[in-house]
Amino acid sequence: MTIVDLGVPSAAPPSSAPTDGPLIDTFGRVATDLRVSLTDRCNLRCTYCMPAEGLNWLPSEELLRPEELTRLLRIAVTRLGITSVRFTGGEPLIARHLEDVIAATTALRPRPEITLTTNGVGLDKRAEGLKRAGLDRINVSLDTVEGARFAAITRRDRLPDVLAGLRAAKAAGLEPVKVNAVLDPVTGLDDAVALLRFCLEQGYQLRIIEQMPLDAGHQWQRGKAIGADEVLDTLQQHFHLTPDTAPRGSAPAELWRVDGVGKVGIIASVSHAFCSACDRTRLTADGQVRNCLFAQRETDLRQLMRSGADDAVVEAAWRAAMWAKAAGHGINDPDFVQPARPMSAIGG
Ligand code: SAM
Ligand code: SF4
């Protein structure tokens, strides 16, 4: 089914989710991209994500067991039409079952594309094994290449580990290696220029992401974070940027060619929301389906599975969750309410 009238329903949709076919919502968007959070724990404390003291971690009995997660991945791929799976967290490299889950996902048919978002700490020792397990590509988060700023933003002095992780990812063939950056409101524009220079030199693809109201402390303020237009203006003062003409599809990044040697992506999640083209569904480490980063409601698949539900029932619950997806995240609406879970507990 192809529905292109995104965001504006042309007729009243049926009142309940279809029982088969694509994983669709009432606005006609089809979810094919699954984000799986493997843990809510992390070894960094990025200011825009976690408080310095960490959070109350999910109790272990509430986390999906590996066999429960594998079951949900199978349902997603074989019954719901998921074609790409991104593992994230918290920090996915601290989830001990990461390689096993990737290998199990690799064995699914049709085999989905498998990617990972990580802070890169410890990646130097894991990159080859991840590639062997079936990982296709990787995004490593890095907001600055300046050591003191890195330590201030992440509250940990681990820049050399991340740089080693990036090198190992490239050497292992997890390419194109992408670098995700969320910019500091004060130093971020300088960081963006230095990061782009670094990424061009090393052969990584930089993605600059607008900061969203998903910090644990609810400190995000409208208009304080650096916007995509400002980033673009600044980069244009230092590099020759031309729009990448390849079709963008549902990809959130607006891509630019840089000096004829590389590319940079700018993800304007707040200032130019791309909700109308969203193709994502999310699963938290405790087995809750979220139809949006900013959803106020979740659907508890863990409880359903533990109460003996068969695959058809779990599938129907997942479909119903996505059917209820809102048209947009509403960040720019006056009555916007930040979700209770921070980014680290949802999975970015
Ligand atoms: N720990 C891993 C990492 O940092 O890559 C994976 C989880 S982290 C939540 C995933 C991505 O979300 C990272 O690229 C991070 O920069 C981004 N992120 C976290 N908090 C954010 C926020 N408030 N706004 C925008 N992006 C955020
Ligand atoms: Fe950890 Fe990633 Fe959040 Fe930073 S952004 S605190 S690395 S989960």
Side-chain angles (χ1 to χ4, degrees):
M1 183 188 300
T2 308
I3 296 184
V4 286
D5 185 16
L6 296 169
V8 187
S10 53
S15 58
S16 58
T19 52
D20 58 11
L23 186 54
I24 192 170
D25 66 35
T26 57
F27 298 98
R29 293 167 298 191
V30 175
T32 54
D33 181 18
L34 170 61
R35 307 268 150 152
V36 179
S37 172
L38 293 179
T39 174
D40 59 330
R41 295 177 187 238
C42 190
N43 43 10
L44 301 184
R45 294 286 182 275
C46 305
T47 47
Y48 48 78
C49 183
M50 276 214 199
E53 65 280 12
L55 293 161
N56 290 326
W57 310 127
L58 290 165
S60 56
E61 66 277 11
E62 288 183 16
L63 296 175
L64 286 178
R65 301 174 195 126
E67 64 279 12
E68 291 171 332
L69 175 55
T70 309
R71 180 179 171 199
L72 290 178
L73 285 162
R74 178 176 52 71
I75 290 172
V77 169
T78 63
R79 302 179 78 118
L80 296 171
I82 292 300
T83 56
S84 59
V85 178
R86 177 172 294 275
F87 294 105
T88 178
E91 177 43 48
L93 288 181
I94 63 179
R96 266 176 289 168
H97 55 316
L98 174 62
E99 283 82 353
D100 291 344
V101 173
I102 289 176
T105 310
T106 307
L108 294 170
R109 294 293 174 270
R111 181 198 188 284
E113 181 189 49
I114 305 169
T115 55
L116 179 74
T117 300
T118 169
N119 64 29
V121 174
L123 179 60
D124 55 337
K125 295 175 194 66
R126 305 274 289 280
E128 266 190 33
L130 289 166
K131 176 76 182 175
R132 264 199 311 278
L135 186 65
D136 295 310
R137 289 188 295 102
I138 200 160
N139 288 47
V140 177
S141 299
L142 176 65
D143 306 332
T144 176
V145 284
E146 208 276 312
R149 284 188 204 165
F150 180 95
I153 293 169
T154 65
R155 303 191 181 99
R156 299 286 186 274
D157 193 6
R158 307 299 295 267
L159 178 61
D161 304 68
V162 180
L163 299 181
L166 278 165
R167 287 192 295 271
K170 190 174 172 200
L174 293 167
E175 290 185 287
V177 175
K178 293 185 183 168
V179 169
N180 286 7
V182 173
L183 299 179
D184 179 87
V186 179
T187 58
L189 292 175
D190 291 343
D191 288 329
V193 173
L195 271 167
L196 182 51
R197 220 165 255 141
F198 165 78
C199 287
L200 292 174
E201 281 164 16
Q202 303 299 322
Y204 310 141
Q205 273 191 28
L206 179 62
R207 294 277 184 279
I208 296 177
I209 308 167
E210 279 181 347
Q211 190 178 323
M212 295 180 276
L214 288 168
D215 56 308
H218 292 219
Q219 296 297 307
W220 182 93
Q221 283 177 22
R222 199 176 307 282
K224 262 207 152 182
I226 295 176
D229 295 343
E230 227 180 320
V231 173
L232 191 57
D233 277 357
T234 303
L235 293 181
Q236 276 170 330
Q237 290 165 29
H238 297 265
F239 305 90
H240 181 61
L241 301 190
T242 48
D244 188 87
T245 47
R248 185 170 161 187
S250 58
E254 186 173 7
L255 279 182
W256 298 82
R257 294 186 171 276
V258 191
D259 295 344
V261 291
K263 287 184 187 179
V264 62
I266 302 183
I267 304 185
S269 336
V270 179
S271 61
H272 304 285
F274 37 81
C275 303
S276 64
C278 181
D279 64 352
R280 292 185 186 167
T281 180
R282 296 172 184 277
L283 184 64
T284 64
D286 55 340
Q288 313 296 307
V289 168
R290 294 181 63 88
N291 58 26
C292 173
L293 274 175
F294 295 92
Q296 295 292 346
R297 294 185 57 190
E298 302 181 335
T299 298
D300 190 349
L301 298 187
R302 183 195 74 231
Q303 192 48 40
L304 209 52
M305 288 191 294
R306 289 185 188 172
S307 62
D310 66 14
D311 286 357
V313 170
V314 176
E315 173 188 353
W318 202 326
R319 287 184 181 281
M322 293 310 294
W323 190 243
K325 181 168 173 142
H329 56 44
I331 297 174
N332 300 312
D333 299 346
D335 56 352
F336 170 73
V337 179
Q338 182 170 336
R341 278 190 200 248
M343 185 65 125
S344 59
I346 297 173

